[in-house]
Amino acid sequence: MSAKAEALGGVEESKLSPQFHVAHHFDKADTQFDAGRMGVWLFLVTEILLFGGLFCAFAIFRSKYFPSFVEAHHHLDRVMGGINTIVLISSSFTMALAVRSAQKNEKKKTTILLAITLACAAMFLVVKYFEYSHKIHDGLLPGGNFTAADFASGHPGIFFAIYFMMTGIHGVHVVIGMGLILWILLRNQKNEFSSRYYAPVENVGLYWHLVDLVWIYLFPLLYLVG
Amino acid sequence: MANTATVDELGHSPEVRGKNYLNQTAGVWSWLTTVDHKRIGIMYLVSVLVGFGLGGIFALLVRLELLTAKKTIMDASQYNQAFTLHGAAMVFLFIIPSIPASLGNFFLPLMIGAKDVAFPRLNLLSLYLYWIGAIFMLAAIVTGGVDTGWTFYVPYASGVSTTSVISATFGVFVMGFSSILTGLNFIVTLHKLRAPGMSWYRMPLFLWSLYATSIIQVLATPVLGITLLLLIFERAFHIGIFDPTLGGDPVLFQHFFWFYSHPAVYIMILPGMGVATEILATNARRRVFGYKAIAFSSVAIALVSFLVWGHHMFVSGQSELSSAIFSFLTFFVAIPSGVKMFNWLGTLWGGSIRFTVPMLYGIAFLFLFAIGGLTGLFLGMLSVDLHLHDTYFVVAHFHYVMMGSTAIAFFGGLHHWWPKMTGKMYDEKLARVGFALTFIGFNWTFFTQFILGTRGMPRRYYNYLDQFQPLHAFSTYGSWVLGTGFLITFICLARSLKTGAPAPADPWGGATLEWKTASPPITENFEKAPIVTLDAYERPAEETA
């Protein structure tokens, strides 16, 4: 197999047929494919930097208010966080399989795998909903809305401010990801993808892996490290 | 060689002759839904000029207020709003998108021989995000203004100010996305859509500067995004990240803000350097001296730009060691900037220079950038900065860099490429008058402020000691000359649209690809994808013989 074909996920270049639409400004299909993939990777870099600011803030306030952060992190539910981690890693796995099956022209399998991914994402949000409502009930909202009184250390609100910002922005990414996966699922139903054309599936997959990856860092940082 | 009866000198067949991107389709809707990078570039151009006009009006008002030592035309809080809106409009509405989004969008694909940018629809989305962000900023002006300064420093912006901070910062947040997407689009375009034969080292240097700019846009802007989100949440919910009364750290905001905004200074200046290079190379009719040195110095500036943000915080209470390190690193930026300066001069040396209007702007750029850059070294030096910090010296310095260099390069580029974009020549004489008044007015206004600064006049002050009054008045008179210069330039360009003579394909004898297509270009730029056989700025043998 040529290096080029390897880069295209095992599909020989010649198999990229002109059946699907190549935009007028690309000379050939694989230029379009490469450009799309490069664009998504660059976009993911910006996403990491966006979360990077929050990780930075976390590191600074953790060293500044260490006792408070240790105390506050015990109020997070490790079991729920753990379940969500498993759910999200599983969804990332099924997403990767969906890309593979799209490449292999297995339309039905792709549909099933995307549906499972979607279900996992929904389950993540349901667990998150229970976690959030529990926090709200306990008065652990950040800043001015923080009402829990039984804290020994000062400024516990800052931990929850960062917690809600990080998980909230991550949650928004999950919701956007669900929209994208649904869009891919519907297009797959319309027979739009094949071994010749699966770029949108792969690009949505890349995005979804990032959503998973961010959570994999968030979980130990917020829930486990004391 | 094709038959000349069917193909004109540019290789255009009869089917496309007379058609161009402007008249291909008509109607407002065809513009608002276009994916043609040239139309999007023109819409950006109009938008950033409106932003420039808005910022300019506030600038004139601020200067007018400072004509006398006490109240002249507005009260203190109106003055705070006026200079905030001047800064925010100029930085976010005009100068950051100015060259990349308007001239860059228009000429980047043309200069590499591509039909469009890699993601045309994303390009249109960038424009809409810019407009949405601008609407939020305008909404802030209408619903009570903003008085925080364009830097939105906390805790004033997060807790004290009673003005529309959230609307303004959200506007900037949305415009940040626009900036990121434009940068991303350019990077992919330059990597994937260069015409056959257009290697990296054959690209015009304007594109290297846009490439370096795009890297900064993609890597720095997300940090500004999260910082503004935190600020918005801090203001809405009092979350205590930045507000010291809630346990937050206001210096953290400065670190975050300048981690973006110092690189953003290079988002502003790098494209200006690129435009200047094109103007100088075209009008000296020479190949650029030290091509690779200029190309790599752009990338070097982009990389070093990420390491110097702490020089904005010498007096913020950061450790002396940090300050010393940031001072040391700051001087590094002078090296690639100096390399560029010497290469520009080397390009002019022995060239057959023509003093066209763009060339006047190009030479003014060299002059003003030298002053702006060298005074930056004063401020990068710790001991000197302690004296000059937050004085008019700083104001004069960054106006020389942002306005004197970038805006002058932008207007130079506008004149340079105006015939290509519009298909019309402008009135040379009137353009020269506009240029002369701009150049004189600019130095009149801002060189005065260097003197004010060294004498201790602090920036942002509404009232001041009587001893500063003569210099302030002098600076204000200069601003009127400057304003007149821009007005004449604007009239000159606007008039050319109606009465200008039709522009030839290559009015200046340029060596880059954009001059090899019609003025204005056809919708897909070139009828047949060009095949590049010459090095950058190299002219065909018969021309140079």
Side-chain angles (χ1 to χ4, degrees):
Chain A
M1 197 190 296
S2 70
K4 186 86 211 170
E6 227 157 68
L8 292 172
V11 183
E12 289 295 339
E13 206 173 323
S14 57
K15 286 194 183 154
L16 292 167
S17 82
Q19 267 189 4
F20 63 94
H21 178 66
V22 180
H24 73 99
H25 56 293
F26 290 107
D27 54 350
K28 48 187 191 295
D30 60 332
T31 313
Q32 174 171 303
F33 184 82
D34 287 352
R37 186 151 60 177
M38 188 177 178
V40 172
W41 273 106
L42 278 171
F43 174 70
L44 296 183
V45 168
T46 70
E47 290 278 52
I48 287 172
L49 286 160
L50 183 90
F51 280 101
L54 289 168
F55 280 105
C56 182
F58 182 91
I60 286 163
F61 286 105
R62 185 174 181 274
S63 67
K64 205 168 175 180
Y65 303 116
F66 182 66
S68 152
F69 268 52
V70 173
E71 190 181 359
H73 103 277
H74 288 298
H75 289 259
L76 298 186
D77 193 326
R78 288 175 182 206
V79 178
M80 285 201 188
I83 291 171
N84 260 353
T85 307
I86 294 166
V87 166
L88 219 47
I89 291 179
S90 312
S91 76
S92 215
F93 180 64
T94 53
M95 187 74 224
L97 290 178
V99 175
R100 186 180 145 83
S101 60
Q103 286 171 353
K104 292 169 74 181
N105 289 324
E106 296 166 343
K107 180 195 158 197
K108 212 170 160 191
K109 207 170 152 191
T110 310
T111 306
I112 294 168
L113 285 163
L114 286 175
I116 297 172
T117 312
L118 210 51
C120 285
M123 187 173 163
F124 178 89
L125 288 180
V126 169
V127 173
K128 208 78 232 161
Y129 168 76
F130 283 116
E131 274 192 270
Y132 271 15
S133 45
H134 194 208
K135 299 279 166 308
I136 293 165
H137 180 259
D138 288 352
L140 295 173
L141 283 168
N145 302 311
F146 191 83
T147 52
D150 54 340
F151 273 86
S153 50
H155 302 303
I158 294 180
F159 176 87
F160 290 101
I162 296 177
Y163 165 80
F164 275 104
M165 282 290 285
M166 285 182 131
T167 56
I169 294 176
H170 179 263
V172 170
H173 279 79
V174 172
V175 173
I176 293 170
M178 288 177 73
L180 291 172
I181 294 167
L182 188 64
W183 172 61
I184 291 303
L185 190 95
L186 295 176
R187 286 183 71 180
N188 186 55
Q189 286 308 99
K190 287 192 233 157
N191 293 321
E192 286 192 28
F193 304 125
S194 66
S195 60
R196 300 183 193 105
Y197 180 64
Y198 56 89
V201 189
E202 176 166 340
N203 289 336
V204 170
L206 286 172
Y207 172 84
W208 190 249
H209 295 321
L210 180 90
V211 172
D212 177 40
L213 187 74
V214 169
W215 179 258
I216 287 174
Y217 282 96
L218 286 183
F219 174 60
L221 199 67
L222 296 169
Y223 291 76
L224 301 182
V225 179
Chain B
M1 199 70 193
N3 188 343
T4 46
T6 54
V7 180
D8 66 7
E9 79 277 13
L10 295 164
H12 291 162
S13 56
E15 295 86 67
V16 299
R17 220 174 295 164
K19 283 190 184 158
N20 59 53
Y21 79 101
L22 291 167
N23 64 17
Q24 191 85 35
T25 52
V28 176
W29 189 243
S30 79
W31 278 78
L32 291 177
T33 56
T34 186
V35 288
D36 185 343
H37 68 99
K38 296 185 288 302
R39 286 190 164 195
I40 293 171
I42 293 291
M43 286 192 278
Y44 262 120
L45 183 63
V46 173
S47 311
V48 299
L49 286 176
V50 170
F52 179 72
L54 190 72
I57 288 167
F58 283 116
L60 289 172
L61 290 174
V62 166
R63 270 314 333 152
L64 186 58
E65 169 51 39
L66 293 167
L67 186 63
T68 62
K70 299 284 180 282
K71 178 177 171 175
T72 314
I73 52 161
M74 49 181 124
D75 62 33
S77 72
Q78 287 167 331
Y79 170 78
N80 285 349
Q81 292 183 23
F83 83 68
T84 299
L85 294 169
H86 161 63
M90 281 301 191
V91 169
F92 297 113
L93 289 178
F94 171 63
I95 209 156
I96 287 180
S98 63
I99 295 175
S102 65
L103 300 177
N105 241 325
F106 198 103
F107 288 104
L108 183 140
L110 274 168
M111 285 173 133
I112 57 171
K115 288 178 179 167
D116 209 326
V117 292
F119 309 115
R121 279 181 295 181
L122 193 69
N123 202 13
L124 187 65
L125 177 67
S126 298
L127 175 67
Y128 277 93
L129 287 175
Y130 170 82
W131 279 343
I132 292 168
I135 287 169
F136 274 99
M137 280 192 74
L138 292 177
I141 296 175
V142 179
T143 61
V146 195
D147 62 354
T148 58
W150 75 275
T151 51
F152 308 115
Y153 272 179
V154 291
Y156 186 74
S158 67
V160 181
S161 172
T162 53
T163 53
S164 307
V165 178
I166 290 184
S167 179
T169 44
F170 188 72
V172 174
F173 175 76
V174 174
M175 275 188 267
F177 272 103
S178 165
S179 185
I180 290 172
L181 295 178
T182 302
L184 186 154
N185 216 339
F186 283 1
I187 292 176
V188 177
T189 308
L190 289 177
H191 272 273
K192 299 293 174 196
L193 291 182
R194 279 172 288 120
M198 176 61 79
S199 66
W200 282 95
Y201 294 137
R202 282 178 173 175
M203 285 191 335
L205 285 160
F206 179 47
L207 303 185
W208 274 95
S209 77
L210 286 180
Y211 186 66
T213 307
S214 302
I215 292 173
I216 307 178
Q217 283 176 313
V218 168
L219 295 184
T221 318
V223 180
L224 178 74
I226 195 68
T227 309
L228 293 176
L229 271 189
L230 281 167
L231 173 62
I232 290 167
F233 279 86
E234 175 109 349
R235 195 171 161 84
F237 305 114
H238 308 288
I239 58 178
I241 301 285
F242 300 133
D243 188 344
T245 58
L246 302 169
D249 187 349
V251 178
L252 178 66
F253 179 86
Q254 295 191 22
H255 278 294
F256 275 173
F257 184 82
W258 288 113
F259 182 79
Y260 163 76
S261 291
H262 197 79
V265 170
Y266 300 102
I267 294 179
M268 303 176 206
I269 187 67
L270 276 167
M273 293 169 159
V275 171
T277 311
E278 296 303 316
I279 293 174
L280 296 176
T282 305
N283 291 291
R285 294 193 57 81
R286 281 193 69 192
R287 290 178 66 184
V288 171
F289 176 78
Y291 173 92
K292 281 192 185 174
I294 293 193
F296 290 140
S297 64
S298 292
V299 179
I301 288 173
L303 299 180
V304 179
S305 75
F306 283 96
L307 307 174
V308 300
W309 77 90
H311 70 219
H312 292 268
M313 302 164 70
F314 283 159
V315 298
S316 72
Q318 72 183 355
S319 75
E320 283 175 17
L321 178 67
S322 317
S323 290
I325 291 171
F326 278 122
S327 175
F328 180 73
L329 289 169
T330 299
F331 287 129
F332 268 120
V333 184
I335 298 172
S337 307
V339 166
K340 277 181 189 295
M341 203 70 198
F342 288 119
N343 281 307
W344 286 323
L345 295 177
T347 307
L348 294 180
W349 184 261
S352 50
I353 297 170
R354 284 169 313 181
F355 290 97
T356 60
V357 175
M359 188 60 167
L360 294 175
Y361 280 97
I363 289 169
F365 170 88
L366 291 184
F367 182 75
L368 301 175
F369 179 69
I371 297 177
L374 289 172
T375 51
L377 294 177
F378 293 36
L379 296 168
M381 204 177 301
L382 269 175
S383 52
V384 182
D385 184 68
L386 289 183
H387 175 64
L388 296 174
H389 176 81
D390 266 356
T391 67
Y392 266 68
F393 191 92
V394 180
V395 177
H397 158 68
F398 71 69
H399 277 89
Y400 263 85
V401 176
M402 291 183 188
M403 186 176 179
S405 311
T406 308
I408 287 292
F410 170 72
F411 282 100
L414 198 57
H415 285 90
H416 184 61
W417 282 309
W418 187 263
K420 180 57 63 185
M421 290 192 286
T422 63
K424 302 281 186 176
M425 300 303 286
Y426 46 82
D427 180 352
E428 283 259 343
K429 273 191 192 144
L430 195 58
R432 274 166 207 272
V433 174
F435 163 78
L437 289 177
T438 303
F439 183 74
I440 294 167
F442 176 80
N443 285 295
W444 186 339
T445 309
F446 291 104
F447 202 85
T448 314
Q449 296 184 6
F450 279 124
I451 302 167
L452 270 173
T454 50
R455 294 187 181 175
M457 172 70 211
R459 68 193 278 203
R460 298 199 180 107
Y461 275 34
Y462 170 63
N463 288 338
Y464 52 83
L465 297 175
D466 286 332
Q467 70 202 56
F468 296 122
Q469 206 272 331
L471 283 172
H472 266 302
F474 190 71
S475 178
T476 300
Y477 303 145
S479 73
W480 298 341
V481 177
L482 180 57
T484 312
F486 279 124
L487 193 65
I488 290 175
T489 302
F490 179 75
I491 291 169
C492 169
L493 292 177
R495 221 178 55 165
S496 82
L497 291 176
K498 275 211 144 160
T499 60
D506 185 7
W508 321 119
T512 38
L513 270 184
E514 79 271 28
W515 305 110
K516 305 277 182 286
T517 181
S519 301
I522 58 172
T523 297
E524 293 202 334
N525 297 345
F526 304 94
E527 201 178 3
K528 265 201 289 190
I531 294 166
V532 182
T533 53
L534 298 173
D535 278 346
Y537 306 106
E538 192 184 357
R539 291 179 167 82
E542 69 266 24
E543 256 184 67
T544 48

